[in-house]
Amino acid sequence: YGGIVLQADDISMSAQSVDAILDREANSIEWAIAKGGLQVRQNGREASGEQGEYYLTPGKFVILGNLARIREPQRGQSFARRLTFFTADDRILLENR
């Protein structure tokens, strides 16, 4: 709690609080939920929202907010209540339900 920053390879995630589950060897995070002022950066891509979840497999972030935002240098910005992006490729899913 209190301004957490997680860094791994090309990904940086910051938020007010983070709960995480580590793999068996405690070498990597398999799953994490971040709440409060979430910011994610990966290779020029920036996403923000009120909260989000990270899944090591398949390498994705699900970000919620009013509105969650993602910005990519080549594509510009997108907004949605729920957005999902994948770390291995350029896929982004936007949902406004």
Side-chain angles (χ1 to χ4, degrees):
Y1 293 96
I4 306 300
V5 177
L6 299 176
Q7 181 83 37
D9 299 324
D10 63 341
I11 300 171
S12 171
M13 179 174 75
S14 63
Q16 288 302 308
S17 70
V18 175
D19 290 320
I21 296 175
L22 300 175
D23 66 3
R24 290 181 189 252
E25 295 80 31
N27 291 329
S28 62
I29 295 173
E30 289 187 351
W31 173 84
I33 186 165
K35 296 180 182 177
L38 173 63
Q39 298 284 322
V40 178
R41 290 180 176 80
Q42 182 210 15
N43 293 333
R45 181 186 281 180
E46 297 178 7
S48 61
E50 295 168 15
Q51 74 177 42
E53 292 185 53
Y54 168 71
Y55 301 88
L56 177 64
T57 304
K60 76 175 179 179
F61 283 91
V62 178
I63 300 175
L64 307 171
N66 187 24
L67 295 168
R69 176 186 70 88
I70 190 162
R71 185 187 67 75
E72 292 188 300
Q74 300 85 7
R75 294 184 183 170
Q77 291 191 93
S78 296
F79 299 89
R81 291 186 190 275
R82 175 187 169 115
L83 65 88
T84 302
F85 76 87
F86 296 84
T87 59
D89 57 33
D90 290 336
R91 287 183 296 156
I92 300 170
L93 305 173
L94 304 170
E95 299 176 59
N96 281 314
R97 303 187 245 165

